[in-house]
Amino acid sequence: MSNFEYKKSLGQNFLQNQNIINKIASSLTPSKNDLIIEIGPGAGALTKELVKKECDVICFEIDKRLENILNKLESDNNNLKVIFEDFLKVNIKTYIDTKKYDKLYFVGNLPYYITTAIINKIIKESTPYEIVIMVQKEVAERFNATPGSREYGSLSVFLQYNFKIEKVCDVNKKCFEPIPKVDSTVIKFKTTSKYKEKVKNEDKFYKIIKDSFTHKRKNLRNNLMNYDLSKIEEILKKYNKDLTSRAESLTIEEFIEISNNL
């Protein structure tokens, strides 16, 4: 975009490749009673495709320098509403009557440093049906990592507990303006209750995951010394593991069983 000063502090790298834009848009299949919420539309490249869907589209953009471009887009599309606020600071329910819609779809190209915060906010303040986001490629690998891999961590467990995760496509860094230092990946999160029905206390479950990975190179005995280690060891033995095992070797099911028995 000529004469536009991109702000590094806002993680501004605008997607220019129409083929990738189309892939992201086509990964969303809402009906007319659904809502798409776009986080950080930038100059509206993806927004232009989203408004072609039959449903309403609401965008949250922090950079008011983009008002002229996005307001023009809004005036041209009666199913689009643009809100110039920091998505992380707003209460979703203040701006959106979520009861009005059957399903909520969230989409955005997110800077890594706020990705987890945004996903947490979406889960806390709404009931998302699907979330489609673009993140650094190595971050996407962490999201979908399997037990025993180097990338597997508390974030992997948290996300896979809440969502079925699949890759939409990889995105070369040359598809952006300005060109970032790394390649990206578009990931789709689809809400699942596969594990939720098995957990007795979700807060306790989340806490034990966080504590288990506190020091990733330390074993469970060291990270969970404030818990009843005898109960934990009893469960681990069922899976041929013990307190010298590291958190990265445990599956979600094993974390659930430990949490439920403490």
Side-chain angles (χ1 to χ4, degrees):
M1 208 163 64
S2 59
N3 302 322
F4 184 78
E5 187 181 337
Y6 296 92
K7 285 191 176 181
K8 199 171 183 180
S9 62
L10 297 178
Q12 285 180 329
N13 299 96
F14 292 175
L15 184 60
Q16 305 292 316
N17 186 294
Q18 191 60 44
N19 183 42
I20 299 296
I21 291 167
N22 292 341
K23 282 184 180 181
I24 297 171
S26 62
S27 74
L28 299 164
T29 55
S31 66
K32 62 180 180 180
N33 294 323
D34 298 335
L35 172 68
I36 297 174
I37 299 163
E38 185 182 8
I39 304 161
L46 175 59
T47 318
K48 289 172 185 174
E49 297 305 318
L50 297 178
V51 294
K52 293 176 184 177
K53 311 280 184 183
E54 290 186 331
C55 67
D56 287 349
V57 178
I58 294 178
C59 299
F60 287 90
E61 175 55 56
I62 192 173
D63 193 348
K64 293 187 177 180
R65 296 177 302 158
L66 295 159
E67 273 185 318
N68 288 343
I69 295 170
L70 294 175
N71 284 342
K72 172 70 167 60
L73 196 55
E74 182 182 57
S75 65
D76 291 341
N77 296 276
N78 58 18
N79 64 331
L80 174 64
K81 181 175 177 60
V82 182
I83 298 166
F84 289 93
E85 296 282 357
D86 181 348
F87 181 77
L88 279 174
K89 292 180 180 177
V90 304
N91 185 321
I92 294 173
K93 291 175 182 176
T94 301
Y95 290 93
I96 301 166
D97 180 5
T98 54
K99 294 177 183 176
K100 180 181 172 184
Y101 301 99
D102 293 340
K103 295 172 186 171
L104 301 180
Y105 292 79
F106 290 82
V107 61
N109 174 14
L110 308 181
Y112 170 56
Y113 63 92
I114 57 170
T115 298
T116 306
I118 284 179
I119 293 172
N120 277 329
K121 181 181 179 68
I122 291 170
I123 293 172
K124 187 177 178 181
E125 295 183 16
S126 70
T127 307
Y129 178 69
E130 284 182 356
I131 304 171
V132 177
I133 58 172
M134 189 189 310
V135 293
Q136 289 179 22
K137 193 172 183 179
E138 62 180 33
V139 176
E141 290 168 356
R142 202 173 305 161
F143 289 167
N144 219 3
T146 53
S149 65
R150 190 181 65 179
E151 294 82 10
Y152 188 70
S154 58
L155 184 59
S156 315
V157 179
F158 171 74
L159 291 174
Q160 290 171 36
Y161 167 72
N162 283 286
F163 304 101
K164 179 184 176 184
I165 305 172
E166 62 184 65
K167 182 168 79 170
V168 175
C169 63
D170 289 323
V171 187
N172 189 287
K173 59 188 176 184
K174 293 179 182 177
C175 293
F176 297 90
E177 183 186 337
I179 298 174
K181 294 179 180 178
V182 295
D183 293 330
S184 298
T185 298
V186 180
I187 290 283
K188 177 190 279 193
F189 301 90
K190 187 170 184 176
T191 299
T192 177
S193 58
K194 176 183 176 182
Y195 298 113
K196 286 180 175 287
E197 296 161 354
K198 302 175 184 177
V199 173
K200 291 180 181 177
N201 185 317
E202 204 166 67
D203 289 338
K204 186 183 286 184
F205 172 70
Y206 286 146
K207 187 173 189 310
I208 199 159
I209 291 167
K210 184 181 177 184
D211 292 343
S212 296
F213 285 94
T214 302
H215 302 287
K216 202 172 178 191
R217 304 320 299 165
K218 290 188 176 182
N219 61 31
L220 291 168
R221 184 190 302 278
N222 289 324
N223 281 334
L224 300 178
M225 60 177 64
N226 293 325
Y227 291 81
D228 187 336
L229 292 177
S230 61
K231 283 187 178 180
I232 296 172
E233 188 161 42
E234 191 178 319
I235 293 157
L236 290 171
K237 281 180 181 176
K238 291 168 61 177
Y239 301 98
N240 297 317
K241 293 169 186 171
D242 57 35
L243 292 169
T244 64
S245 302
R246 289 176 176 158
E248 65 196 46
S249 71
L250 269 63
T251 65
I252 296 177
E253 287 89 347
E254 288 162 11
F255 277 117
I256 289 172
E257 192 168 344
I258 290 170
S259 168
N260 286 346
N261 283 277
L262 287 175

